[in-house]
Amino acid sequence: MSNIVLVGTQWGDEGKGRITDLLSNKAEMVVRFQGGDNAGHTVILDKNEFKLHLVPSGILNPNAVCVIGNGVVVNPMTLINELRDLESKGVRTDNLRISSNCHLIMPYHIALDSVTENSLGSLKIGTTRKGIGPAYADKAGRSGIRICDLMDPEVFKQKLSSILKIKNAILEKVYSSDAFEVEDIFNNYMQYAEILKKYVVDTAFLVNKAIDEGKNILFEGAQGTLLDIDHGTYPYVTSSSTTAGGVFSGSGIGPKRINNVIGITKSYCTRVGEGVFPTELSDKNGDYIRKKGNEYGTTTGRARRCGWFDCVTIRYAKIINNLDSLAITKLDVLTGLEKIKICTGYDIGGKIYDNVTPNCITLQKSKPVYIEVDGWDEDISDIKDFNGLPHNARKYIEILEELLSIPASMISVGPDRHQIIIRDNDLKSFLKHTD
């Protein structure tokens, strides 16, 4: 039995989808525990590309139960469209389960997200305008509407009518924006309820029962550690707990039920949206990485900002998540670079720091301290064994392990499921698991 948590160590987009897909192929349950359709995982299987926003990446494994946990906020229209797209490509979706305690993203959340972001001007956060923040704000303010409410038309309409008076007043009087009609939303959401009701269960009992039965379970995070509402580069963060700690509240399990926490990091660093980014590259190297790595957001299509590997932020993620190992993705993207830099610390006011809390005030004062290593030209896309990597590629990984004091249990050398080097025996055993 193994209960594995996958979390991003940077600002999201670390390649979690392809690692989740690989491990979920042998998992018996895959659980998404936070975020909404602002997240995006691109998974490539048999040269087919799947872009997943709400459905766990394990949906491509017909033998795995896929759970959208209570910590997720759900836009039902987005979810239904995603399910239809999967089904059109021959993917089964009857193994999906949705927590009845998930909060709903409503049309007014999306509208408020957009007008609020517009009003901030130069102080804008860079949200995806999917309504995520306003939905979580209502959840914290105890005025949210949950999926269990959606399943009861009378309760849903009563709550909708009450909250919409307030939301319409804000939209009209503060932002001079259009109001919403109760009946329009009600009728649309009743259609969604009819489609989704077959998936809705109490997932906390479901997940804990699977653990009690000794099943292999994968907990799939979205975004990354530096976007965590508590531990990220606030205010340029998301609105949920993206770290390993979010697993417990977001899926309804206790903290002693996890065996292994794996942090996902690219072999370089990327960021989408606003906020400080110490190792960001605005030169030909940044352009090279962006183009070769296809660094464009799955959800937004926005070009990702690219930079050198940042050991300071990964050390922080290691502490916050209690990481057991790293999965390093996209090592193949660095192929062809003559020299590669690694940020080993920050220079803040003339003093070098190996570890800092990455808040925006600190990062604004930070200048990256680099070491430079030799690159490699050899094609590594079909290498299955660590010792088969070119000397300089192998040395690059070994330097990262030494600087971070954490092993790299997985190294991806290409986008497909098979293009990965597994170095951890427990993971090898997990991947050999059969029912």
Side-chain angles (χ1 to χ4, degrees):
M1 180 271 290
S2 185
N3 302 320
I4 298 175
V5 179
L6 293 181
V7 292
T9 57
Q10 302 168 339
W11 286 281
D13 307 308
E14 300 96 347
K16 293 183 296 298
R18 62 98 66 250
I19 302 296
T20 303
D21 171 60
L22 174 73
L23 295 179
S24 66
N25 189 45
K26 296 298 181 180
E28 292 158 285
M29 179 176 283
V30 182
V31 183
R32 169 84 181 273
F33 59 88
Q34 52 77 216
D37 61 323
N38 57 334
H41 289 162
T42 299
V43 178
I44 298 174
L45 179 62
D46 299 329
K47 301 191 183 301
N48 291 317
E49 185 176 79
F50 299 88
K51 293 190 175 184
L52 305 172
H53 301 278
L54 279 168
V55 178
S57 301
I59 198 70
L60 302 180
N61 174 7
N63 298 315
V65 175
C66 290
V67 176
I68 297 178
N70 57 274
V72 179
V73 288
V74 174
N75 181 325
M77 183 174 68
T78 299
L79 178 56
I80 289 167
N81 288 337
E82 192 169 322
L83 291 171
R84 286 173 175 168
D85 181 61
L86 287 165
E87 290 164 357
S88 73
K89 295 176 181 177
V91 177
R92 281 179 48 198
T93 62
D94 59 344
N95 54 342
L96 177 69
R97 303 291 182 269
I98 307 169
S99 172
S100 57
N101 285 341
C102 284
H103 279 250
L104 291 167
I105 294 176
M106 306 297 292
Y108 50 77
H109 290 140
I110 298 171
L112 285 166
D113 198 358
S114 182
V115 295
T116 302
E117 184 78 347
N118 289 340
S119 71
L120 291 173
S122 62
L123 297 177
K124 65 181 179 179
I125 304 299
T127 78
T128 56
R129 302 179 187 239
K130 299 285 186 178
I132 309 298
Y136 275 114
D138 278 0
K139 177 179 179 176
R142 293 164 294 181
S143 60
I145 301 177
R146 300 189 295 178
I147 284 184
C148 56
D149 301 320
L150 182 65
M151 297 298 110
D152 187 322
E154 185 176 342
V155 170
F156 178 77
K157 193 166 190 176
Q158 182 182 30
K159 289 192 172 185
L160 174 64
S161 299
S162 177
I163 192 65
L164 197 56
K165 293 177 183 177
I166 300 170
K167 302 302 181 183
N168 277 340
I170 295 171
L171 286 166
E172 290 181 304
K173 296 178 181 180
V174 177
Y175 295 105
S176 300
S177 188
D178 295 332
F180 289 93
E181 296 292 335
V182 170
E183 289 301 323
D184 290 343
I185 296 176
F186 178 78
N187 292 334
N188 285 335
Y189 273 65
M190 285 301 100
Q191 293 180 51
Y192 303 151
E194 187 64 26
I195 296 170
L196 295 177
K197 65 181 182 181
K198 64 181 180 181
Y199 301 107
V200 178
V201 299
D202 188 324
T203 56
F205 284 113
L206 185 72
V207 175
N208 278 283
K209 183 173 183 290
I211 295 175
D212 291 339
E213 293 172 350
K215 294 184 176 179
N216 284 337
I217 303 175
L218 192 64
F219 293 87
E220 171 189 2
Q223 288 97 25
T225 298
L226 298 181
L227 292 176
D228 185 270
I229 186 66
D230 289 301
H231 303 292
T233 49
Y234 192 91
Y236 301 102
V237 294
T238 193
S239 303
S240 59
S241 296
T242 63
T243 58
V247 171
F248 310 117
S249 59
S251 60
I253 66 167
K256 294 182 179 180
R257 314 213 79 175
I258 297 301
N259 307 111
N260 193 354
V261 182
I262 302 174
I264 317 297
T265 176
K266 285 174 180 165
S267 59
Y268 47 95
C269 193
T270 62
R271 181 169 193 174
V272 173
E274 307 299 322
V276 185
F277 184 2
T279 67
E280 183 172 10
L281 293 167
S282 301
D283 59 9
K284 64 179 182 180
N285 288 321
D287 293 337
Y288 178 89
I289 291 171
R290 184 179 301 106
K291 183 177 180 180
K292 190 169 181 182
N294 191 29
E295 293 296 350
Y296 299 90
T298 302
T299 299
T300 63
R302 289 183 291 185
R304 295 181 184 132
R305 301 154 65 190
C306 298
W308 297 123
F309 192 95
D310 187 342
C311 287
V312 181
T313 56
I314 305 300
R315 290 188 191 109
Y316 179 75
K318 173 187 170 183
I319 294 170
I320 295 298
N321 295 289
N322 192 29
L323 297 179
D324 293 296
S325 68
L326 291 176
I328 299 177
T329 65
K330 292 195 169 185
L331 182 64
D332 54 302
V333 173
L334 297 182
T335 300
L337 289 172
E338 183 179 355
K339 297 289 183 180
I340 301 170
K341 291 184 178 182
I342 302 169
C343 172
T344 59
Y346 293 160
D347 181 334
I348 305 176
K351 185 175 179 179
I352 307 301
Y353 293 85
D354 295 332
N355 296 286
V356 299
T357 300
N359 61 60
C360 288
I361 296 173
T362 301
L363 294 186
Q364 284 171 349
K365 301 175 181 178
S366 302
K367 295 180 181 179
V369 177
Y370 290 115
I371 61 170
E372 188 174 77
V373 299
D374 293 329
W376 60 92
D377 289 321
E378 299 92 330
D379 180 12
I380 65 173
S381 59
D382 290 323
I383 292 175
K384 299 293 190 298
D385 182 77
F386 183 70
N387 291 326
L389 286 171
H391 171 77
N392 287 345
R394 191 168 64 250
K395 185 177 178 181
Y396 180 69
I397 297 296
E398 290 171 344
I399 290 172
L400 295 183
E401 291 180 312
E402 183 178 354
L403 288 169
L404 298 168
S405 299
I406 187 170
S409 57
M410 310 171 75
I411 304 163
S412 83
V413 293
D416 287 332
R417 181 185 285 170
H418 71 278
Q419 292 178 295
I420 194 156
I421 297 168
I422 309 293
R423 302 173 69 207
D424 181 88
N425 289 331
D426 288 340
L427 287 177
K428 288 179 181 178
S429 177
F430 185 95
L431 290 169
K432 287 179 181 178
H433 168 76
T434 55
D435 294 327

